[in-house]
């Protein structure tokens, strides 16, 4: 774990901070498709991603989901940090997109390290900044882009975070992430297939040229 931690976070974290993370952090290896944080839960640990990808979702009053952003190697969830500092319940759901390795940090360490380590403060502030930008992009996408373009952007990002041009999500799962219906997603995917942008298979979508 130490080698992975240094390789991933050494640009931010001082060696004494890395030593503390190794002392108090808990390594978790989570397979793809697992919910590691859910709406309504109290947050007791902060995740630091060593490898893999996690998708972060919101849910409306009717239970429909909307994909907010992905977390990738070297990142953490600023929404989780905000819940920790406010001692409030989680308002998001986090699901592993790929097999993922995470170090879980006890929440009480967050405030302690904010005053103790410049590297941790910079990391937290950068995390807030990056997540805010991604949330603004999500809002812009919903407000200003048609669903055709949102679907293409979604598929591109999926290929990027999984490093795989075969997307194994069902049409219904994609519809959940985009907050739309399966019928609409299936129609748009068939349209992209006719344009030779992708190829639909029984258990996956093969991305050719988006």
């Amino acid at each position: 774990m130490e080698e992975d931690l240094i390789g991933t976070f050494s640009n931010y974290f001082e060696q004494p901070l890395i030593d503390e993370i190794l002392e108090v952090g808990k390594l978790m290896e989570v397979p793809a498709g697992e919910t590691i944080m859910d709406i309504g839960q109290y947050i007791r640990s902060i995740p630091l991603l060593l490898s893999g990808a996690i998708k972060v979702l919101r849910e409306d009053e009717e239970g429909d989901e909307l994909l907010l952003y992905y977390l990738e190697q070297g990142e953490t969830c600023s929404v989780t940090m905000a819940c920790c500092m406010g001692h409030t319940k989680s308002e998001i759901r986090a699901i592993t997109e790929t097999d993922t390795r995470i170090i879980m940090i006890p929440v009480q360490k967050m405030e302690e390290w904010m005053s103790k380590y410049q590297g941790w403060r910079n990391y937290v502030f950068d995390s807030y900044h990056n997540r805010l930008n991604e949330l603004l992009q999500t809002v812009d996408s919903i407000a200003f882009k048609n669903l055709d373009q949102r679907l293409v952007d979604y598929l591109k990002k999926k290929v990027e975070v999984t490093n795989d041009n075969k997307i194994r999500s069902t049409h219904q799962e994609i519809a959940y992430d985009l907050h739309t219906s399966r019928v609409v997603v299936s129609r748009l995917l068939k349209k992209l297939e006719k344009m030779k942008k992708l190829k639909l298979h029984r258990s996956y979508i093969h991305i050719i040229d988006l």
Side-chain angles (χ1 to χ4, degrees), residues 13 21 26 38 40-43 47 50-51 56 61 64 69 94 102 122 128 142 150 157 162 169-170 185 198 203:
F13 298 164
I21 292 173
K26 178 183 177 182
D38 213 345
Q41 288 182 342
Y42 280 105
I43 310 299
L50 289 177
S51 64
V56 178
E61 294 178 355
D64 294 324
Y69 51 78
I102 312 166
N122 292 341
Y128 277 121
I142 295 170
R150 287 178 59 207
K157 187 64 177 179
T162 61
S169 303
T170 66
V185 167
L198 53 81
S203 59

Side-chain angles (χ1 to χ4, degrees), residues 31-194:
E34 292 290 318
T35 299
I36 61 171
M37 186 183 308
D38 213 345
I39 296 165
Q41 288 182 342
Y42 280 105
I43 310 299
R44 292 179 169 81
S45 299
I46 301 163
L48 303 179
L49 266 72
L50 289 177
S51 64
I54 297 171
K55 65 179 180 180
V56 178
L57 308 143
R58 277 279 283 166
E59 189 178 88
D60 66 16
E61 294 178 355
E62 298 177 354
D64 294 324
E65 295 177 333
L66 174 67
L67 175 65
L68 297 180
Y69 51 78
Y70 287 97
L71 299 175
E72 299 178 70
Q73 183 184 38
E75 297 183 333
T76 190
C77 183
S78 54
V79 175
T80 301
M81 290 181 168
C83 290
C84 290
M85 296 188 73
H87 304 288
T88 58
K89 294 180 180 180
S90 171
E91 297 182 357
I92 55 96
R93 175 173 295 125
I95 301 173
T96 50
E97 182 70 20
T98 64
D99 293 347
T100 302
R101 298 176 73 240
I102 312 166
I103 299 177
M104 303 301 288
I105 306 297
V107 295
Q108 60 268 26
K109 288 294 179 180
M110 181 175 172
E111 290 189 35
E112 176 186 331
W113 290 348
M114 285 289 284
S115 61
K116 191 174 180 181
Y117 295 113
Q118 179 68 42
W120 180 258
R121 287 197 298 276
N122 292 341
Y123 178 70
V124 170
F125 292 145
D126 283 355
S127 295
Y128 277 121
H129 179 259
N130 293 337
R131 295 294 83 76
L132 176 59
N133 283 341
E134 289 181 328
L135 286 173
L136 290 174
Q137 289 172 13
T138 299
V139 171
D140 287 348
S141 175
I142 295 170
F144 304 121
K145 292 183 180 180
N146 58 36
L147 192 56
D148 302 57
Q149 187 57 53
R150 287 178 59 207
L151 176 59
V152 169
D153 291 345
Y154 170 89
L155 296 173
K156 285 180 177 179
K157 187 64 177 179
K158 195 93 162 174
V159 169
E160 178 186 330
V161 301
T162 61
N163 197 30
D164 188 352
N165 65 354
K166 294 179 180 178
I167 296 174
R168 292 170 173 80
S169 303
T170 66
H171 294 192
Q172 183 63 68
E173 289 169 340
I174 295 172
Y176 282 145
D177 286 349
L178 293 176
H179 203 68
T180 187
S181 72
R182 181 192 59 78
V183 172
V184 171
V185 167
S186 295
R187 174 174 58 80
L188 293 176
L189 287 172
K190 288 176 182 175
K191 176 182 174 181
L192 290 170
E193 185 176 42
K194 288 180 180 178

Side-chain angles (χ1 to χ4, degrees), residues 3-43:
E3 184 178 339
D4 290 341
L5 183 62
I6 292 172
T8 304
F9 294 99
S10 60
N11 287 341
Y12 273 109
F13 298 164
E14 304 94 326
Q15 187 58 50
L17 173 55
I18 289 175
D19 292 340
E20 281 205 54
I21 292 173
L22 291 169
E23 181 180 343
V24 303
K26 178 183 177 182
L27 178 64
M28 294 179 59
E29 297 186 357
V30 188
E34 292 290 318
T35 299
I36 61 171
M37 186 183 308
D38 213 345
I39 296 165
Q41 288 182 342
Y42 280 105
I43 310 299

